[in-house]
């Protein structure tokens, strides 16, 4: 769908993007992750053709990205804003027209959306008379009204109460089901696993990780398990080449251990070692969350930079 | 192109639909007409108020008979003794005073004027004129000069200034009227350039602050948005001017219909004709003051007819538009570079300096010597020509100069817009960065 190749963006004092390549597959929800100031906004602005990269190429459906693609992209910026003095309906029609919709078509679709989100009574209200959450809802509609093939959402849930956040999330999923590719930019990881098929992690102007969520998690599985057991005999001897004990919690004969199995061994080997000594109640693999991976990768690059200095 | 049209449409409609637009459209002509009426009314009133009664204690027993009461001063003969009258005067109101004419008035040529408070200068002047006339008449008489002779030696030279045009024909011209129109144009252009230029700036700051800019910029090019805004607000300005002209004409029409009845109008016409024929037959004879004022009004009207209003209005629109485009582009650049209006002032002052300077000069050098070196140069430089050229036009400017100045203005507009657009495209996406001149230069140099 969208392919960024070797993008470099240089500002006067710093390099905002350093040789970043990203592939966004069609019909997926793509998480663009990274801490503040990593370069996410620069990438989004380049995709929106607000700014141009110093070098590198961007392909939209295998065509060089050009102004004609603007109408196929919908963009919800992190910093929301609308003309405060303008009426909701009027403003929506104006924004839709700028995206190439006819006035009639814009009206028709607005009626559909306003009814769907139950905000039909807002048509003649001024933006400044709406609450912040209401404004966000209006702006979300403005983003998707022209039925873009690529929707870019920069922190779409900020400013919403949980109820409305859920409504917006459902709408995003529905748009995705109907064929839209979605770029979801955030530095909040909770929703990423729930929503994203693929992610790219940007830090310090560089892409440090990308791929499907499943693949990345598998990559970061490091044979860590949590095992509940009841000791049958004396104390279990954890002095073994099989694993390292990370945590131990015990209450009478109930024991919970968190272990990291050493690379040359498997879970089966560990179980074989433990079963004679205890009754196994539960074995759970600890899969790293995207959050953990994010923290790990970001602090790791941080360390590297420090060491280099 | 279609998107620029949409932007222009929005900028135009949101402003024209505002209540404040309607208000200014109708209020400004009303205020002007109101001021005009007010000035006339107040002048009239001050005349009424200054009317005073003057008791004349005449020791010559001759002067009093020659004093004629006018609408400002009523002379009352007073037979009482001077000292007694002075005592009485203290009990009367301020508008009453005593003129004491001593016996040796014709020789000493001095009188005493006594009043409760400080005497009104206009009244004093009128009394002085009347007394001077009486003395003069007396002296003429003593030298044996009759009224007949005096009438025949009275002369009144009229200068009819005519300008030689390029084609050799001469036209009547009047410097005072040209000056008046020049200054009016200077003020009008100066105020409106500021007004609409800062509207452009405010609009951009609003878009930047509300962050809608990012949404719009993802749909249209920054240049389209900037030009759309400039053109849209320019059209608002033109609409405003056009409406002012229409409203003023209608209001003036209504006012003259209601205030001046038809009979009065007809009377006046008759009077004018009579006076004109009178003028023709007894040229040089002193007429009453009313005839003179009517004559000068007729003269003003005939002179106004020589003013080339279509040319002036046409040039006004050209030079206002040109100046507006140049300055609004600069205002747009400033608006994009700052986060608030207060921050903008450090940039608006330098960019509007040429405008301010020309405006100030228009009251001096430009108007006194409209075809001098300074005026001519200023009317060619695009940053100053919107005011300088308009100041010169009522005095008659060769067509080639107007054309060259207009072309330079267009070139200036293209140049400033090019600079402004380069700063604008970077500035609108910069938040919280304190813009300095160095920073602006850097933005200007960025590749797109």
């Amino acid at each position: 769908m969208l392919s960024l190749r070797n993008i470099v963006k240089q500002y006067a004092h710093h390099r905002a993007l350093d040789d970043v390549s990203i592939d966004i597959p069609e019909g997926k929800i793509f998480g663009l992750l990274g801490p503040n100031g990593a370069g996410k906004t620069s990438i989004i602005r380049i995709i929106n053709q607000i700014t141009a990269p110093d070098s590198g190429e961007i392909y939209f459906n295998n065509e060089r990205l050009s102004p004609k693609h603007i109408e196929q992209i919908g963009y919800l910026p992190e910093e929301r804003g609308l003309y405060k003095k303008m009426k909701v309906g009027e403003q929506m029609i104006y924004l839709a027209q700028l995206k190439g919709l006819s006035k009639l078509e814009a009206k028709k679709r607005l009626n559909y959306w306003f009814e769907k989100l139950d905000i039909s009574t807002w048509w003649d209200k001024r933006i400044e008379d709406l609450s912040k959450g209401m404004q966000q809802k209006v702006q979300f509609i403005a983003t998707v009204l022209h039925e873009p093939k690529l929707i870019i959402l920069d922190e779409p849930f900020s400013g919403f109460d949980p109820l409305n956040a859920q409504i917006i999330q459902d709408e995003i999923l529905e748009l995705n089901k109907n064929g839209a590719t979605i770029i979801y930019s955030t530095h909040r990881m909770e929703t990423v696993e729930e929503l994203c098929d693929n992610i790219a992690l940007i830090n310090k102007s560089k892409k440090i990780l990308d791929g499907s969520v499943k693949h990345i998690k598998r990559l970061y599985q490091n044979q860590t398990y949590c095992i509940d057991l009841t000791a049958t005999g004396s104390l279990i001897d954890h002095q073994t080449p099989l694993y390292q004990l990370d945590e131990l919690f015990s209450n009478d004969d109930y024991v919970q251990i968190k272990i990291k199995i050493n690379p040359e061994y498997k879970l089966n080997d560990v179980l074989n070692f433990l079963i004679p000594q205890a009754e196994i109640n539960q074995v759970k693999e600890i899969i790293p969350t995207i959050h953990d991976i994010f923290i790990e990768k970001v602090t790791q690059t941080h360390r590297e930079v420090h060491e280099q200095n | 192109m279609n998107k620029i049209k949409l932007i222009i449409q929005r900028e135009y409609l949101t402003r024209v639909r505002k209540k404040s637009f309607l208000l200014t459209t109708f209020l400004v002509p009303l205020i002007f007409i109101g001021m005009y009426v007010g000035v006339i009314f107040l002048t009239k009133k001050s005349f009424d108020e200054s009317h005073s009664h003057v008791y004349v204690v005449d020791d010559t027993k001759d002067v009093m008979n020659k004093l004629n009461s006018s609408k400002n001063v009523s002379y009352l003969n007073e037979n009482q003794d001077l000292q007694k009258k002075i005592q009485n005067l203290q009990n009367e109101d301020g508008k009453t005073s005593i003129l004491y004419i001593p016996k040796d008035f014709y020789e000493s040529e001095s009188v005493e004027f006594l009043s409760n408070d400080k005497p009104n200068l206009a009244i004093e002047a009128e009394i002085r004129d009347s007394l001077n006339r009486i003395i003069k008449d007396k002296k003429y008489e003593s030298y044996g000069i009759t009224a007949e002779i005096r009438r025949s030696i009275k002369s009144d030279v009229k200068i009819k200034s005519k300008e030689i045009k390029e084609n050799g024909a001469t036209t009547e011209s009047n410097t005072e009227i040209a000056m008046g129109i020049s200054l009016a144009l200077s003020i009008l252009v100066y105020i409106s350039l500021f007004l609409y230029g800062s509207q452009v700036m405010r609009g951009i700051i609003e878009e930047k602050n509300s962050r809608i800019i990012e949404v719009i910029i993802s749909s249209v090019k920054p240049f389209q948005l900037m030009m759309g805004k400039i053109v849209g607000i320019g059209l608002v300005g033109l609409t405003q001017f056009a409406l002012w002209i229409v409203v003023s004409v209608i209001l003036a029409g209504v006012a003259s219909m209601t205030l001046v009845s038809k009979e009065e109008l007809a009377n006046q016409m008759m009077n004018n004709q009579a006076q004109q024929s009178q003028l023709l037959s007894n040229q040089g004879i002193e007429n009453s003051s009313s005839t003179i004022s009517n004559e000068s009004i007729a003269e003003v009207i005939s002179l106004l007819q020589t003013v080339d209003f279509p040319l002036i209005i046409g040039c006004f629109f050209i030079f206002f538009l040109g100046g507006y485009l140049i300055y609004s582009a600069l205002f747009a650049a400033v608006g994009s570079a700052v986060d608030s209006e207060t921050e903008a002032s450090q940039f608006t002052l330098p960019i509007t300096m040429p405008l301010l300077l020309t405006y100030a000069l228009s009251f001096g050098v430009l108007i006194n010597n409209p075809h001098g070196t300074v005026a001519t140069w200023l009317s060619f430089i695009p940053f100053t020509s919107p005011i300088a050229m308009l100041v010169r036009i009522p005095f008659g400017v060769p067509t080639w100069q107007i054309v060259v100045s207009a072309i330079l203005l267009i070139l200036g507009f293209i140049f400033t817009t090019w600079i402004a657009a380069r700063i604008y495209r970077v500035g609108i996406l910069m938040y919280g960065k304190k813009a300095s001149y160095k920073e602006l230069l850097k933005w200007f140099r960025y590749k797109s």
Side-chain angles (χ1 to χ4, degrees):
Chain A
M1 172 79 190
L2 190 77
S3 171
L4 283 74
R5 296 179 196 165
N6 310 100
I7 301 297
V8 175
K9 179 76 187 173
Q10 179 77 44
Y11 286 111
H13 298 299
H14 78 291
R15 184 162 279 209
L17 293 173
D18 190 2
D19 197 26
V20 172
S21 299
I22 294 174
D23 264 297
I24 296 165
E26 176 139 25
K28 303 279 190 197
I29 299 183
F30 187 92
L32 189 60
L33 317 178
N36 292 326
K40 285 176 295 177
T41 306
S42 293
I43 291 177
I44 290 172
R45 281 183 177 172
I46 286 170
I47 298 172
N48 276 309
Q49 300 172 62
I50 292 172
T51 53
D54 295 330
S55 71
E57 287 141 22
I58 305 134
Y59 291 89
F60 189 96
N61 279 338
N62 301 319
E63 282 177 296
R64 271 305 263 278
L65 186 70
S66 67
K68 71 170 182 187
H69 295 123
I70 278 174
E71 292 173 7
Q72 299 180 38
I73 300 176
Y75 173 37
L76 182 74
E78 181 179 3
E79 300 273 8
R80 309 296 148 71
L82 295 163
Y83 288 111
K84 292 198 169 56
K85 305 267 177 206
M86 250 178 130
K87 284 177 182 163
V88 174
E90 225 169 76
Q91 178 149 215
M92 294 286 98
I93 289 172
Y94 172 63
L95 291 176
Q97 279 180 304
L98 285 184
K99 286 284 187 190
L101 241 57
S102 74
K103 199 171 179 172
L104 207 74
E105 185 64 28
K107 245 184 198 159
K108 216 172 80 190
R109 292 192 196 175
L110 275 172
N111 281 333
Y112 164 79
W113 273 101
F114 274 45
E115 254 165 57
K116 189 168 190 199
L117 293 183
D118 202 20
I119 56 173
S120 302
T121 51
W122 295 2
W123 188 276
D124 275 328
K125 278 191 182 161
R126 283 174 180 216
I127 293 291
E128 61 186 350
D129 296 332
L130 299 181
S131 75
K132 199 167 175 215
M134 288 157 114
Q135 289 183 26
Q136 307 265 56
K137 244 181 186 173
V138 170
Q139 193 153 14
F140 179 79
I141 297 173
T143 308
V144 300
L145 193 69
H146 57 291
E147 293 177 358
K149 294 205 173 75
L150 178 66
I151 302 171
I152 302 170
L153 306 170
D154 199 347
E155 300 289 358
F157 301 114
S158 69
F160 278 121
D161 58 63
L163 194 72
N164 278 310
Q166 190 58 49
I167 291 172
I168 294 298
Q169 183 170 331
D170 293 345
E171 292 301 334
I172 293 172
L173 287 170
E174 194 181 325
L175 285 164
N176 177 243
K177 215 172 71 191
N178 294 338
T181 307
I182 289 163
I183 297 177
Y184 169 47
S185 164
T186 187
H187 55 258
R188 301 201 308 202
M189 300 300 136
E190 311 89 64
T191 44
V192 171
E193 280 176 69
E194 208 174 326
L195 281 172
C196 297
D197 306 301
N198 294 59
I199 60 163
L201 182 57
I202 311 288
N203 190 36
K204 305 247 172 209
S205 319
K206 288 194 171 92
K207 182 188 75 181
I208 51 175
L209 184 72
D210 70 341
S212 79
V213 172
K214 271 186 204 146
H215 176 77
I216 286 172
K217 288 181 86 163
R218 205 171 306 134
L219 213 64
Y220 279 81
Q221 283 172 3
N222 47 7
Q223 298 216 83
T224 308
Y225 292 90
C226 182
I227 302 172
D228 291 359
L229 37 78
T230 317
T232 46
S234 56
L235 281 176
I236 303 166
D237 180 18
H238 292 294
Q239 298 291 343
T240 159
L242 288 169
Y243 60 81
Q244 281 155 15
L245 183 70
D246 281 353
E247 277 172 33
L248 184 136
F249 172 83
S250 70
N251 186 4
D252 289 340
D253 54 351
Y254 171 82
V255 180
Q256 188 180 55
I257 55 170
K258 200 171 156 193
I259 57 166
K260 193 174 172 188
I261 300 170
N262 289 329
E264 53 270 35
Y265 300 100
K266 290 266 181 322
L267 176 64
N268 275 13
D269 301 325
V270 175
L271 289 179
N272 279 335
F273 167 74
L274 285 174
I275 284 168
Q277 308 178 61
E279 205 173 289
I280 310 285
N281 299 326
Q282 191 183 28
V283 178
K284 198 170 73 190
E285 185 177 11
I286 297 177
I287 301 166
T289 60
I290 292 293
H291 180 85
D292 298 331
I293 298 169
F294 177 86
I295 302 273
E296 191 188 323
K297 284 301 277 187
V298 168
T299 45
Q300 185 186 327
T301 48
H302 200 71
R303 254 199 321 273
E304 280 165 15
V305 170
H306 264 276
E307 276 157 22
Q308 272 168 23
N309 291 343
Chain B
M1 226 32 233
N2 201 16
K3 287 181 181 173
I4 280 208
K5 233 171 75 191
L6 278 171
I7 294 166
I8 293 172
Q9 204 179 13
R10 194 201 80 87
E11 298 293 339
Y12 182 77
L13 287 180
T14 50
R15 284 184 172 76
V16 169
R17 274 201 241 129
K18 269 190 198 161
K19 283 192 198 88
S20 58
F21 178 83
L22 276 179
L23 227 61
T24 40
T25 299
F26 290 100
L27 276 187
V28 168
L30 265 179
I31 287 170
F32 270 107
I33 289 175
M35 258 161 56
Y36 185 68
V37 170
V39 166
I40 290 175
F41 178 74
L42 285 176
T43 332
K44 209 167 156 243
K45 194 154 182 255
S46 78
F47 265 119
D48 291 345
E49 273 178 1
S50 67
H51 182 102
S52 69
H53 297 272
V54 177
Y55 292 102
V56 181
V57 178
D58 186 7
D59 284 355
T60 62
K61 308 288 175 214
D62 172 41
V63 176
M64 179 59 207
N65 303 328
K66 289 177 180 166
L67 280 171
N68 299 319
S69 294
S70 72
K71 63 177 169 114
N72 292 333
V73 189
S74 303
Y75 296 107
L76 305 167
N77 199 2
E78 183 55 61
N79 297 321
Q80 270 181 330
D81 176 62
L82 182 62
Q83 291 307 321
K84 224 177 188 173
K85 185 64 202 165
I86 288 172
Q87 272 168 8
N88 287 348
L89 186 67
Q90 277 160 354
N91 306 324
E92 294 198 35
D93 69 38
K95 275 193 232 164
T96 317
S97 42
I98 301 170
L99 181 67
Y100 171 64
I101 300 171
K103 251 198 177 95
D104 63 343
F105 167 67
Y106 286 112
E107 289 77 43
S108 68
E109 295 182 7
S110 74
V111 294
E112 271 173 55
F113 188 65
L114 311 158
S115 50
N116 278 342
D117 46 12
K118 288 221 176 78
N120 183 327
L121 278 181
I123 302 285
E124 252 190 62
E126 186 162 341
I127 293 172
R128 189 181 308 116
D129 286 349
S130 300
L131 293 173
N132 274 335
R133 189 173 43 80
I134 291 166
I135 291 180
K136 244 192 239 167
D137 283 349
K138 180 99 178 167
K139 284 187 174 164
Y140 281 135
E141 223 171 283
S142 71
Y143 293 129
I145 299 170
T146 59
E148 199 70 10
I149 296 174
R150 279 170 50 206
R151 219 170 279 165
S152 74
I153 59 172
K154 168 118 171 76
S155 68
D156 182 13
V157 177
K158 291 198 183 83
I159 294 183
K160 279 196 178 147
S161 44
K162 294 192 176 186
E163 259 178 81
I164 303 165
K165 291 269 153 149
E166 285 147 282
N167 55 16
T170 57
T171 50
E172 278 189 60
S173 73
N174 182 288
T175 315
E176 279 81 29
I177 286 184
M179 275 184 165
I181 294 172
S182 289
L183 287 183
L185 287 174
S186 167
I187 294 168
L188 192 61
V189 167
Y190 178 72
I191 291 176
S192 37
L193 285 185
F194 253 97
L195 204 71
Y196 295 109
S198 54
Q199 273 203 37
V200 171
M201 186 179 80
R202 233 175 295 141
I204 287 168
I205 292 175
E206 186 209 340
E207 273 169 0
K208 204 182 159 183
N209 276 344
S210 73
R211 313 281 165 136
I212 193 170
I213 192 84
E214 215 153 328
V215 177
I216 308 263
I217 290 303
S218 68
S219 308
V220 300
K221 290 203 181 74
F223 183 74
Q224 289 177 311
L225 180 60
M226 189 181 93
M227 278 321 287
K229 186 171 279 296
I230 288 175
V231 172
I233 293 176
L235 288 177
V236 174
L238 292 184
T239 311
Q240 186 106 70
F241 285 130
L243 283 176
W244 278 345
I245 291 172
V246 171
V247 171
S248 304
V249 167
I250 291 172
L251 281 178
V254 169
S256 65
M257 288 287 262
T258 50
L259 293 179
V260 185
S261 67
K262 276 186 186 153
E263 282 164 61
E264 224 173 300
L265 214 66
N267 262 342
Q268 232 174 349
M269 296 263 280
M270 295 257 287
N271 268 345
N272 268 350
Q273 275 175 354
Q275 273 152 10
Q276 244 154 33
S277 58
Q278 202 186 350
L279 264 171
L280 283 173
S281 54
N282 345 320
Q283 270 221 322
I285 292 187
E286 280 177 272
N287 283 304
S288 68
S289 60
S290 72
T291 325
I292 290 164
S293 74
N294 269 343
E295 185 194 347
S296 60
I297 287 171
E299 210 170 300
V300 167
I301 288 170
S302 81
L303 276 170
L304 273 178
Q305 277 161 356
T306 68
V307 175
D308 193 349
F309 279 110
L311 175 79
I312 289 177
I313 292 175
C315 284
F316 173 79
F317 276 103
I318 291 172
F319 283 91
F320 162 72
L321 256 188
Y324 165 76
L325 290 173
I326 284 184
Y327 279 100
S328 61
L330 294 178
F331 272 111
V334 170
S336 73
V338 299
D339 288 337
S340 69
E341 272 180 67
T342 44
E343 211 185 311
S345 55
Q346 57 158 327
F347 295 110
T348 49
L349 188 69
I351 62 166
T352 52
M353 262 326 254
L355 206 59
L356 194 71
L357 186 80
T358 325
Y359 177 66
L361 284 179
S362 68
F363 290 93
V365 182
L366 295 186
I367 204 138
N368 290 329
N369 192 3
H371 300 310
T373 321
V374 177
T376 313
W377 272 103
L378 287 181
S379 68
F380 282 122
I381 300 168
F383 291 97
T384 56
S385 66
I387 289 182
M389 189 49 104
L390 282 176
V391 168
R392 289 184 63 205
I393 275 173
F395 296 96
V397 178
T399 314
W400 72 266
Q401 287 196 3
I402 299 180
V403 172
V404 168
S405 173
I407 290 171
L408 287 175
L409 197 61
I410 293 167
L411 292 178
F413 152 61
I414 292 170
F415 177 68
T416 48
T417 308
W418 176 67
I419 291 179
R422 288 186 74 91
I423 293 175
Y424 177 84
R425 84 213 144 112
V426 182
I428 43 170
L429 294 171
M430 293 279 179
Y431 298 111
K433 206 169 194 174
K434 201 110 183 141
S436 62
Y437 287 103
K438 221 172 115 193
E439 196 76 26
L440 291 190
L441 194 69
K442 210 156 54 194
W443 295 356
F444 174 73
R445 290 204 188 121
Y446 274 154
K447 287 179 287 171
S448 57

